Amino acid sequence: MSVATAEIRKNDKKPRLRIGYVVRQREMGIVLALVVLVAYTAINQPRFLGSQSITDILLNTAILAVLASGMAVVVITRHIDLSVGSVLGLSAFTVATVMQDNQGLPMVAALGLGLAIGAVAGVVNGALVHFGNVPALVVTLGTMYAYRGLTYSWAGGQQVTADEVPRHFLRFANSALLGVPWLVLIALVVIAGVGLMMRNYRIGRELYAMGSSPHAAGLAGIRIARNTLVAFVISGALAGLGGVLYASRFGTVDASSGNGYELQVVAAVVVGGVAVFGGSGTIWGAGLGALLLTVIGSALAVLDINQFWQQAIVGALIVLAIGADRLVAVRIARSLRKRDSHV
């Protein structure tokens, strides 16, 4: 290998190293914000660090983090899935109804049913996006209303209450293994599993490549259709899993369950450092974003601050995150142009 070739390869790694550095800095920024927020709130309201308060934060974060993990995969491929809230609601109502009619059904079956419902919804989304050649924003906006309408049509104004489902189904949300709630353990397994897939396996690298440049990914022989379906199936399946966790956590489920949840999920992903333009970000970052948003909501409630400020703060964080993504993209593009001019 010539010296010139070696130099070119060395230069090729620089933009990727910069992206990785920026992502790590974003994640450390979230951790720092969490520490400051928790410390400030605890000083003013010591009960914020009470065991019940911490448990509630972790349980609420777990459901949001599961959905954010799936959404992150889709956003990394330069798409979006606005139907996750409706899929959560459909899964929650379906599983709660099935558990109501089959009191002896094990929890594993409920989790499997939720995953299957979400996966089917993901296949529909992915197929419409790729084979219909329709933007994901339009497709998932449509399926968001379709899935929600299906749930409303089936529910017919009825709801499944906590006293109508099996005790073991409700206990699952509050049960723990070695002191760690099952919902939190499931969320950690999902984040670790999806994060490992995206970082260490070929399918993950291909999804990142699709987000960086779909055209170049196609020319490189990457199977765009298959990978698009995979991304949406992962997002849908995890939204379905989130529906089961939601039903177990809150007990009472109706057709409006999960309404508006998609906005929280998108916010968690973007605040967590996943670029809305695709190609960069981590699943761990999305999980941290979910934790930050949950802590903000809890802190504002404890400090008796109007919930309007939660929406304003989240909106500001989204704008800042998108602005940071664009700044990084411009700087990397400038760096690439300088490199090319010296080759």
Side-chain angles (χ1 to χ4, degrees):
M1 182 173 62
S2 67
V3 175
T5 303
E7 184 65 25
I8 289 173
R9 291 188 177 181
K10 179 180 178 182
N11 290 335
D12 284 341
K13 295 180 182 178
K14 290 181 179 179
R16 284 177 286 180
L17 291 174
R18 291 191 186 96
I19 293 174
Y21 173 78
V22 170
V23 169
R24 288 192 296 272
Q25 292 297 103
R26 289 274 294 275
E27 292 173 356
M28 288 304 299
I30 296 174
V31 173
L32 179 61
L34 279 168
V35 171
V36 172
L37 179 60
V38 170
Y40 176 81
T41 307
I43 290 172
N44 288 275
Q45 291 288 347
R47 63 189 175 92
F48 182 68
L49 292 182
S51 59
Q52 187 58 51
S53 176
I54 293 175
T55 299
D56 289 339
I57 290 173
L58 292 177
L59 292 178
N60 291 334
T61 298
I63 299 173
L64 183 58
V66 167
L67 271 71
S69 298
M71 178 71 78
V73 175
V74 172
V75 174
I76 285 171
T77 63
R78 203 179 286 193
H79 293 298
I80 195 168
D81 186 357
L82 296 179
S83 69
V84 291
S86 296
V87 174
L88 181 149
L90 177 61
S91 171
F93 189 80
T94 301
V95 170
T97 301
V98 171
M99 296 299 289
Q100 178 188 30
D101 297 336
N102 302 271
Q103 297 283 320
L105 199 65
M107 192 65 201
V108 173
L111 294 171
L113 178 59
L115 284 167
I117 292 170
V120 171
V123 169
V124 173
N125 288 340
L128 289 174
V129 168
H130 182 76
F131 298 108
N133 196 28
V134 181
L137 177 66
V138 177
V139 167
T140 57
L141 182 63
T143 55
M144 176 184 76
Y145 286 109
Y147 298 148
R148 182 65 65 185
L150 177 62
T151 309
Y152 272 109
S153 176
W154 180 15
Q158 301 298 314
Q159 66 177 11
V160 179
T161 59
D163 60 350
E164 295 174 330
V165 295
R167 295 294 96 190
H168 70 272
F169 182 72
L170 295 177
R171 284 198 302 267
F172 180 78
N174 296 309
S175 299
L177 179 66
L178 300 177
V180 182
W182 275 108
L183 265 66
V184 177
L185 287 174
I186 290 175
L188 290 174
V189 169
V190 167
I191 292 172
V194 178
L196 184 66
M197 179 199 76
M198 295 297 291
R199 180 172 181 175
N200 295 349
Y201 287 86
R202 179 177 177 179
I203 180 65
R205 293 190 291 271
E206 289 182 352
L207 292 172
Y208 275 110
M210 288 169 54
S212 298
S213 177
H215 180 67
L219 293 177
I222 292 176
R223 299 169 64 179
I224 304 296
R226 182 202 65 180
N227 290 351
T228 300
L229 283 175
V230 167
F232 278 99
V233 166
I234 291 174
S235 178
L238 292 181
L241 174 61
V244 182
L245 303 183
Y246 181 98
S248 177
R249 167 96 169 96
F250 298 106
T252 299
V253 179
D254 59 21
S256 65
S257 297
N259 196 21
Y261 220 74
E262 57 278 343
L263 299 181
Q264 297 181 51
V265 177
V266 171
V269 169
V270 174
V271 171
V274 179
V276 293
F277 306 102
S280 68
T282 66
I283 308 303
W284 285 106
L288 285 173
L291 178 59
L292 177 60
L293 295 187
T294 305
V295 171
I296 289 174
S298 298
L300 293 179
V302 169
L303 295 172
D304 198 24
I305 298 176
N306 193 314
Q307 286 297 303
F308 160 78
W309 288 107
Q310 178 181 358
Q311 300 177 23
I313 292 171
V314 172
L317 289 174
I318 293 174
V319 172
L320 288 173
I322 294 175
D325 289 339
R326 289 307 302 160
L327 179 61
V328 170
V330 169
R331 294 185 65 178
I332 291 175
R334 187 182 298 126
S335 176
L336 290 172
R337 285 196 297 268
K338 288 181 179 179
R339 184 205 67 180
D340 293 339
S341 65
H342 288 90
V343 175

